[in-house]
Amino acid sequence: EEERRGEADGWCAGRIKGYREVERDDDAAEVDGGDAGERRNRQEGDYGPVRLYHVKYDEDGAESVDVPEHLVFPKADYLLLSAAASAADSSSTSSRSSPDKSWKGVRNVVDPTSPDRHASLMGWYVATLDGREVPLSRLSDALRAYDACVARRRGDRTKR
């Protein structure tokens, strides 16, 4: 599965060679940019350990170790998010605001107060399936689930 390196110049295809999980302590805070106060204030029920990836990039064979989880995600999600940002940029008028990250039946949820960078920057997605809200970690999975639900509900009336 291709993963994102997280550089400003765009997508960097690569392969995950491994990962390690660290508790949100001194190691995780250094990687995530947190401070000692954030570590002390961590409460039960937060988002669990931080996953740090070992990635080998396809283009030049370079490898990076301890790439934080908020910088690693599937190419399908990168393309969907890039298209949404492009559409928002082209439709913006006088004021520049953040891209509208909304899709029919799916919404992005972030926890801006969390010291967990994945939760505060990337968040997760909630698909509305037959009136139930189902949390999913990837946008592409949430959109597929919503589309499948609509196709099941409409049956033969579903248009391709």
Side-chain angles (χ1 to χ4, degrees), residues 103-109 124-136 138-139 141-147 149:
W103 299 268
K104 187 172 184 178
V106 174
R107 64 186 168 85
N108 182 226
V109 178
W124 59 95
Y125 299 89
V126 176
T128 304
L129 310 176
D130 294 325
R132 293 176 306 130
E133 291 195 336
V134 178
L136 295 154
R138 295 181 171 175
L139 174 57
D141 291 342
L143 290 171
R144 267 191 222 97
Y146 177 77
D147 289 348
C149 180

mmCIF file of all heavy atoms in Angstrom, residues 103-109 124-136 138-139 141-147 149:
data_model
loop_
_atom_site.group_PDB
_atom_site.id
_atom_site.type_symbol
_atom_site.label_atom_id
_atom_site.label_comp_id
_atom_site.label_asym_id
_atom_site.label_seq_id
_atom_site.Cartn_x
_atom_site.Cartn_y
_atom_site.Cartn_z
ATOM 1 N N TRP A 103 -18.298 15.785 2.362
ATOM 2 C CA TRP A 103 -18.718 14.856 1.344
ATOM 3 C C TRP A 103 -20.102 14.381 1.730
ATOM 4 O O TRP A 103 -20.426 14.268 2.924
ATOM 5 C CB TRP A 103 -17.762 13.665 1.276
ATOM 6 C CG TRP A 103 -16.375 14.068 0.939
ATOM 7 C CD1 TRP A 103 -15.844 14.124 -0.326
ATOM 8 C CD2 TRP A 103 -15.340 14.510 1.819
ATOM 9 N NE1 TRP A 103 -14.548 14.559 -0.267
ATOM 10 C CE2 TRP A 103 -14.214 14.806 1.037
ATOM 11 C CE3 TRP A 103 -15.259 14.699 3.192
ATOM 12 C CZ2 TRP A 103 -13.018 15.265 1.567
ATOM 13 C CZ3 TRP A 103 -14.073 15.159 3.738
ATOM 14 C CH2 TRP A 103 -12.972 15.434 2.930
ATOM 15 N N LYS A 104 -20.925 14.079 0.773
ATOM 16 C CA LYS A 104 -22.278 13.637 1.052
ATOM 17 C C LYS A 104 -22.239 12.350 1.874
ATOM 18 O O LYS A 104 -21.622 11.364 1.473
ATOM 19 C CB LYS A 104 -23.035 13.410 -0.248
ATOM 20 C CG LYS A 104 -24.500 13.121 -0.026
ATOM 21 C CD LYS A 104 -25.252 13.093 -1.329
ATOM 22 C CE LYS A 104 -26.726 12.893 -1.056
ATOM 23 N NZ LYS A 104 -27.486 12.901 -2.298
ATOM 24 N N GLY A 105 -22.860 12.392 3.052
ATOM 25 C CA GLY A 105 -22.937 11.219 3.918
ATOM 26 C C GLY A 105 -21.716 10.960 4.768
ATOM 27 O O GLY A 105 -21.693 10.010 5.553
ATOM 28 N N VAL A 106 -20.674 11.798 4.635
ATOM 29 C CA VAL A 106 -19.427 11.588 5.378
ATOM 30 C C VAL A 106 -18.927 12.936 5.885
ATOM 31 O O VAL A 106 -18.949 13.920 5.161
ATOM 32 C CB VAL A 106 -18.342 10.948 4.473
ATOM 33 C CG1 VAL A 106 -17.002 10.867 5.188
ATOM 34 C CG2 VAL A 106 -18.783 9.569 4.012
ATOM 35 N N ARG A 107 -18.495 12.955 7.130
ATOM 36 C CA ARG A 107 -17.916 14.190 7.662
ATOM 37 C C ARG A 107 -16.613 13.877 8.379
ATOM 38 O O ARG A 107 -16.419 12.786 8.909
ATOM 39 C CB ARG A 107 -18.883 14.928 8.581
ATOM 40 C CG ARG A 107 -19.251 14.194 9.831
ATOM 41 C CD ARG A 107 -20.337 14.950 10.628
ATOM 42 N NE ARG A 107 -20.879 14.106 11.659
ATOM 43 C CZ ARG A 107 -20.349 13.961 12.869
ATOM 44 N NH1 ARG A 107 -19.276 14.624 13.205
ATOM 45 N NH2 ARG A 107 -20.908 13.155 13.748
ATOM 46 N N ASN A 108 -15.726 14.870 8.367
ATOM 47 C CA ASN A 108 -14.436 14.758 9.042
ATOM 48 C C ASN A 108 -14.588 15.289 10.462
ATOM 49 O O ASN A 108 -15.197 16.331 10.677
ATOM 50 C CB ASN A 108 -13.400 15.585 8.269
ATOM 51 C CG ASN A 108 -12.008 15.513 8.852
ATOM 52 O OD1 ASN A 108 -11.352 16.515 9.008
ATOM 53 N ND2 ASN A 108 -11.527 14.325 9.162
ATOM 54 N N VAL A 109 -14.038 14.567 11.425
ATOM 55 C CA VAL A 109 -14.076 14.977 12.827
ATOM 56 C C VAL A 109 -12.640 15.079 13.321
ATOM 57 O O VAL A 109 -11.848 14.163 13.107
ATOM 58 C CB VAL A 109 -14.839 13.949 13.698
ATOM 59 C CG1 VAL A 109 -14.840 14.354 15.150
ATOM 60 C CG2 VAL A 109 -16.259 13.769 13.184
ATOM 61 N N TRP A 124 -10.714 11.728 12.045
ATOM 62 C CA TRP A 124 -11.308 10.510 11.521
ATOM 63 C C TRP A 124 -12.566 10.916 10.775
ATOM 64 O O TRP A 124 -12.927 12.084 10.732
ATOM 65 C CB TRP A 124 -11.601 9.506 12.643
ATOM 66 C CG TRP A 124 -12.523 10.034 13.700
ATOM 67 C CD1 TRP A 124 -13.882 9.868 13.766
ATOM 68 C CD2 TRP A 124 -12.166 10.828 14.841
ATOM 69 N NE1 TRP A 124 -14.379 10.506 14.872
ATOM 70 C CE2 TRP A 124 -13.346 11.107 15.551
ATOM 71 C CE3 TRP A 124 -10.966 11.327 15.334
ATOM 72 C CZ2 TRP A 124 -13.366 11.853 16.714
ATOM 73 C CZ3 TRP A 124 -10.985 12.079 16.495
ATOM 74 C CH2 TRP A 124 -12.178 12.328 17.172
ATOM 75 N N TYR A 125 -13.229 9.955 10.181
ATOM 76 C CA TYR A 125 -14.407 10.228 9.352
ATOM 77 C C TYR A 125 -15.596 9.489 9.922
ATOM 78 O O TYR A 125 -15.476 8.375 10.422
ATOM 79 C CB TYR A 125 -14.129 9.825 7.894
ATOM 80 C CG TYR A 125 -12.982 10.631 7.356
ATOM 81 C CD1 TYR A 125 -11.665 10.184 7.492
ATOM 82 C CD2 TYR A 125 -13.191 11.879 6.811
ATOM 83 C CE1 TYR A 125 -10.606 10.951 7.058
ATOM 84 C CE2 TYR A 125 -12.131 12.661 6.383
ATOM 85 C CZ TYR A 125 -10.842 12.187 6.511
ATOM 86 O OH TYR A 125 -9.796 12.965 6.106
ATOM 87 N N VAL A 126 -16.754 10.127 9.834
ATOM 88 C CA VAL A 126 -17.987 9.517 10.302
ATOM 89 C C VAL A 126 -18.921 9.407 9.103
ATOM 90 O O VAL A 126 -19.264 10.417 8.478
ATOM 91 C CB VAL A 126 -18.645 10.351 11.428
ATOM 92 C CG1 VAL A 126 -19.987 9.749 11.821
ATOM 93 C CG2 VAL A 126 -17.717 10.431 12.635
ATOM 94 N N ALA A 127 -19.285 8.170 8.776
ATOM 95 C CA ALA A 127 -20.226 7.915 7.683
ATOM 96 C C ALA A 127 -21.604 7.694 8.283
ATOM 97 O O ALA A 127 -21.742 6.992 9.286
ATOM 98 C CB ALA A 127 -19.790 6.680 6.890
ATOM 99 N N THR A 128 -22.619 8.309 7.679
ATOM 100 C CA THR A 128 -23.995 8.102 8.114
ATOM 101 C C THR A 128 -24.578 6.984 7.274
ATOM 102 O O THR A 128 -24.789 7.133 6.064
ATOM 103 C CB THR A 128 -24.826 9.392 7.966
ATOM 104 O OG1 THR A 128 -24.175 10.422 8.701
ATOM 105 C CG2 THR A 128 -26.233 9.193 8.491
ATOM 106 N N LEU A 129 -24.792 5.832 7.915
ATOM 107 C CA LEU A 129 -25.265 4.624 7.240
ATOM 108 C C LEU A 129 -26.610 4.214 7.815
ATOM 109 O O LEU A 129 -26.685 3.814 8.980
ATOM 110 C CB LEU A 129 -24.252 3.487 7.407
ATOM 111 C CG LEU A 129 -22.788 3.821 7.072
ATOM 112 C CD1 LEU A 129 -21.887 2.638 7.382
ATOM 113 C CD2 LEU A 129 -22.658 4.256 5.628
ATOM 114 N N ASP A 130 -27.654 4.364 7.029
ATOM 115 C CA ASP A 130 -29.016 4.035 7.475
ATOM 116 C C ASP A 130 -29.346 4.709 8.805
ATOM 117 O O ASP A 130 -29.904 4.094 9.716
ATOM 118 C CB ASP A 130 -29.213 2.521 7.586
ATOM 119 C CG ASP A 130 -29.132 1.831 6.238
ATOM 120 O OD1 ASP A 130 -29.571 2.438 5.237
ATOM 121 O OD2 ASP A 130 -28.617 0.693 6.178
ATOM 122 N N GLY A 131 -28.964 5.970 8.939
ATOM 123 C CA GLY A 131 -29.269 6.736 10.138
ATOM 124 C C GLY A 131 -28.300 6.546 11.294
ATOM 125 O O GLY A 131 -28.402 7.231 12.309
ATOM 126 N N ARG A 132 -27.353 5.625 11.166
ATOM 127 C CA ARG A 132 -26.348 5.404 12.211
ATOM 128 C C ARG A 132 -25.053 6.096 11.824
ATOM 129 O O ARG A 132 -24.689 6.105 10.654
ATOM 130 C CB ARG A 132 -26.036 3.909 12.372
ATOM 131 C CG ARG A 132 -27.150 3.064 12.909
ATOM 132 C CD ARG A 132 -26.753 1.584 12.935
ATOM 133 N NE ARG A 132 -26.304 1.172 11.597
ATOM 134 C CZ ARG A 132 -25.173 0.525 11.336
ATOM 135 N NH1 ARG A 132 -24.358 0.173 12.301
ATOM 136 N NH2 ARG A 132 -24.834 0.200 10.110
ATOM 137 N N GLU A 133 -24.375 6.649 12.796
ATOM 138 C CA GLU A 133 -23.073 7.255 12.544
ATOM 139 C C GLU A 133 -21.983 6.230 12.832
ATOM 140 O O GLU A 133 -21.890 5.715 13.952
ATOM 141 C CB GLU A 133 -22.886 8.507 13.389
ATOM 142 C CG GLU A 133 -23.795 9.632 12.940
ATOM 143 C CD GLU A 133 -23.385 10.971 13.506
ATOM 144 O OE1 GLU A 133 -22.726 11.019 14.567
ATOM 145 O OE2 GLU A 133 -23.736 11.980 12.886
ATOM 146 N N VAL A 134 -21.178 5.935 11.823
ATOM 147 C CA VAL A 134 -20.137 4.916 11.926
ATOM 148 C C VAL A 134 -18.772 5.587 11.741
ATOM 149 O O VAL A 134 -18.499 6.136 10.675
ATOM 150 C CB VAL A 134 -20.339 3.819 10.859
ATOM 151 C CG1 VAL A 134 -19.237 2.780 10.939
ATOM 152 C CG2 VAL A 134 -21.717 3.180 11.004
ATOM 153 N N PRO A 135 -17.913 5.556 12.782
ATOM 154 C CA PRO A 135 -16.589 6.169 12.644
ATOM 155 C C PRO A 135 -15.634 5.257 11.874
ATOM 156 O O PRO A 135 -15.610 4.045 12.086
ATOM 157 C CB PRO A 135 -16.127 6.335 14.094
ATOM 158 C CG PRO A 135 -16.856 5.268 14.845
ATOM 159 C CD PRO A 135 -18.162 5.050 14.131
ATOM 160 N N LEU A 136 -14.863 5.861 10.972
ATOM 161 C CA LEU A 136 -13.865 5.134 10.193
ATOM 162 C C LEU A 136 -12.603 5.985 10.129
ATOM 163 O O LEU A 136 -12.664 7.209 10.126
ATOM 164 C CB LEU A 136 -14.382 4.844 8.782
ATOM 165 C CG LEU A 136 -15.597 3.903 8.751
ATOM 166 C CD1 LEU A 136 -16.441 4.137 7.525
ATOM 167 C CD2 LEU A 136 -15.125 2.474 8.801
ATOM 168 N N ARG A 138 -10.288 6.158 7.684
ATOM 169 C CA ARG A 138 -9.870 6.644 6.363
ATOM 170 C C ARG A 138 -11.058 7.194 5.581
ATOM 171 O O ARG A 138 -12.143 6.606 5.577
ATOM 172 C CB ARG A 138 -9.237 5.516 5.568
ATOM 173 C CG ARG A 138 -7.958 5.045 6.211
ATOM 174 C CD ARG A 138 -7.322 3.958 5.417
ATOM 175 N NE ARG A 138 -5.995 3.671 5.944
ATOM 176 C CZ ARG A 138 -5.246 2.704 5.512
ATOM 177 N NH1 ARG A 138 -5.668 1.916 4.546
ATOM 178 N NH2 ARG A 138 -4.053 2.514 6.038
ATOM 179 N N LEU A 139 -10.824 8.291 4.892
ATOM 180 C CA LEU A 139 -11.861 8.911 4.062
ATOM 181 C C LEU A 139 -12.337 7.951 2.984
ATOM 182 O O LEU A 139 -13.546 7.802 2.759
ATOM 183 C CB LEU A 139 -11.328 10.200 3.433
ATOM 184 C CG LEU A 139 -12.237 10.894 2.429
ATOM 185 C CD1 LEU A 139 -13.586 11.240 3.044
ATOM 186 C CD2 LEU A 139 -11.553 12.128 1.870
ATOM 187 N N ASP A 141 -12.427 4.732 2.947
ATOM 188 C CA ASP A 141 -13.269 3.687 3.543
ATOM 189 C C ASP A 141 -14.656 4.226 3.882
ATOM 190 O O ASP A 141 -15.667 3.550 3.678
ATOM 191 C CB ASP A 141 -12.625 3.121 4.807
ATOM 192 C CG ASP A 141 -11.372 2.317 4.527
ATOM 193 O OD1 ASP A 141 -11.163 1.905 3.361
ATOM 194 O OD2 ASP A 141 -10.586 2.106 5.477
ATOM 195 N N ALA A 142 -14.712 5.439 4.409
ATOM 196 C CA ALA A 142 -16.000 6.046 4.779
ATOM 197 C C ALA A 142 -16.852 6.287 3.534
ATOM 198 O O ALA A 142 -18.065 6.012 3.537
ATOM 199 C CB ALA A 142 -15.771 7.344 5.535
ATOM 200 N N LEU A 143 -16.248 6.789 2.460
ATOM 201 C CA LEU A 143 -17.001 7.027 1.227
ATOM 202 C C LEU A 143 -17.488 5.717 0.612
ATOM 203 O O LEU A 143 -18.624 5.622 0.141
ATOM 204 C CB LEU A 143 -16.145 7.800 0.230
ATOM 205 C CG LEU A 143 -15.870 9.255 0.604
ATOM 206 C CD1 LEU A 143 -14.843 9.867 -0.332
ATOM 207 C CD2 LEU A 143 -17.150 10.070 0.613
ATOM 208 N N ARG A 144 -16.629 4.681 0.634
ATOM 209 C CA ARG A 144 -17.061 3.368 0.127
ATOM 210 C C ARG A 144 -18.224 2.814 0.936
ATOM 211 O O ARG A 144 -19.171 2.256 0.373
ATOM 212 C CB ARG A 144 -15.893 2.374 0.164
ATOM 213 C CG ARG A 144 -15.129 2.315 -1.110
ATOM 214 C CD ARG A 144 -14.146 1.130 -1.126
ATOM 215 N NE ARG A 144 -12.915 1.609 -1.702
ATOM 216 C CZ ARG A 144 -11.846 2.019 -1.016
ATOM 217 N NH1 ARG A 144 -11.820 1.946 0.280
ATOM 218 N NH2 ARG A 144 -10.796 2.471 -1.636
ATOM 219 N N ALA A 145 -18.147 2.949 2.250
ATOM 220 C CA ALA A 145 -19.227 2.443 3.109
ATOM 221 C C ALA A 145 -20.529 3.184 2.829
ATOM 222 O O ALA A 145 -21.600 2.567 2.741
ATOM 223 C CB ALA A 145 -18.839 2.590 4.582
ATOM 224 N N TYR A 146 -20.453 4.499 2.687
ATOM 225 C CA TYR A 146 -21.659 5.289 2.403
ATOM 226 C C TYR A 146 -22.239 4.895 1.042
ATOM 227 O O TYR A 146 -23.445 4.672 0.909
ATOM 228 C CB TYR A 146 -21.342 6.786 2.432
ATOM 229 C CG TYR A 146 -22.539 7.620 2.071
ATOM 230 C CD1 TYR A 146 -23.574 7.830 2.994
ATOM 231 C CD2 TYR A 146 -22.663 8.175 0.807
ATOM 232 C CE1 TYR A 146 -24.690 8.572 2.651
ATOM 233 C CE2 TYR A 146 -23.774 8.924 0.459
ATOM 234 C CZ TYR A 146 -24.782 9.118 1.378
ATOM 235 O OH TYR A 146 -25.884 9.855 1.037
ATOM 236 N N ASP A 147 -21.379 4.806 0.022
ATOM 237 C CA ASP A 147 -21.850 4.429 -1.311
ATOM 238 C C ASP A 147 -22.493 3.049 -1.311
ATOM 239 O O ASP A 147 -23.534 2.835 -1.940
ATOM 240 C CB ASP A 147 -20.699 4.463 -2.326
ATOM 241 C CG ASP A 147 -20.247 5.872 -2.652
ATOM 242 O OD1 ASP A 147 -20.957 6.844 -2.289
ATOM 243 O OD2 ASP A 147 -19.176 6.019 -3.282
ATOM 244 N N CYS A 149 -23.944 1.570 1.176
ATOM 245 C CA CYS A 149 -25.211 1.677 1.897
ATOM 246 C C CYS A 149 -26.300 2.249 0.979
ATOM 247 O O CYS A 149 -27.426 1.739 0.941
ATOM 248 C CB CYS A 149 -25.026 2.559 3.137
ATOM 249 S SG CYS A 149 -26.520 2.767 4.107
#
